[in-house]
């Protein structure tokens, strides 16, 4: 939307075409997406690379808790793995 606004299109018209509320647009501008727990990415990648097919989010979460002493939920590890672009090859 930023590029179209620079070309001279009005914000009201763009939001109407997109079906987006003005408040939602400004909320998205003020809250950019941040990576999930970037300080743990290197440790998770190392745990993932230990086996040939990798390991799943539950196994990585368990290893992070045991080895690093980190409090982390397995759903957070799953989200982190999606952002990193890694997935378990065992069940796929």
């Amino acid at each position: 939307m930023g590029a179209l606004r620079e070309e001279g299109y009005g914000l009201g018209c763009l939001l109407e075409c997109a079906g987006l509320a003005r408040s939602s647009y400004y909320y998205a501008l003020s809250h950019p997406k941040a990576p999930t727990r970037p300080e743990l990415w290197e440790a998770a990648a190392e745990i993932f690379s230990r086996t040939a097919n990798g390991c799943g989010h539950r196994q990585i979460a368990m290893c992070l808790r045991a080895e690093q002493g980190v409090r982390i939920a397995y759903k957070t590890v799953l989200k982190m793995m999606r952002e990193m672009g890694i997935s378990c090859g065992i069940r796929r």
Side-chain angles (χ1 to χ4, degrees):
M1 276 210 196
L4 290 174
R5 284 195 70 195
E6 290 175 5
E7 290 182 15
Y9 292 99
L11 180 62
C13 295
L14 291 173
L15 291 173
E16 186 178 333
C17 290
L20 190 65
R22 184 178 296 268
S23 60
S24 299
Y25 171 73
Y26 283 111
Y27 181 85
L29 280 181
S30 64
H31 294 85
K33 295 281 184 189
T36 305
R37 305 286 294 264
E39 69 274 7
L40 297 176
W41 282 26
E42 187 176 319
E46 189 270 323
I47 293 168
F48 183 80
S49 65
R50 288 181 189 169
T51 59
N53 291 330
C55 52
H57 60 280
R58 292 183 184 100
Q59 184 75 28
I60 292 175
M62 186 179 68
C63 290
L64 285 173
R65 287 184 203 118
E67 297 168 10
Q68 306 277 329
V70 178
R71 260 185 92 175
I72 191 165
Y74 71 90
K75 289 184 180 182
T76 305
V77 175
L78 181 61
K79 183 178 177 184
M80 194 169 63
M81 287 174 65
R82 283 192 193 120
E83 291 173 1
M84 292 169 65
I86 59 177
S87 63
C88 180
I90 295 170
R91 305 244 175 171
R92 298 215 174 229

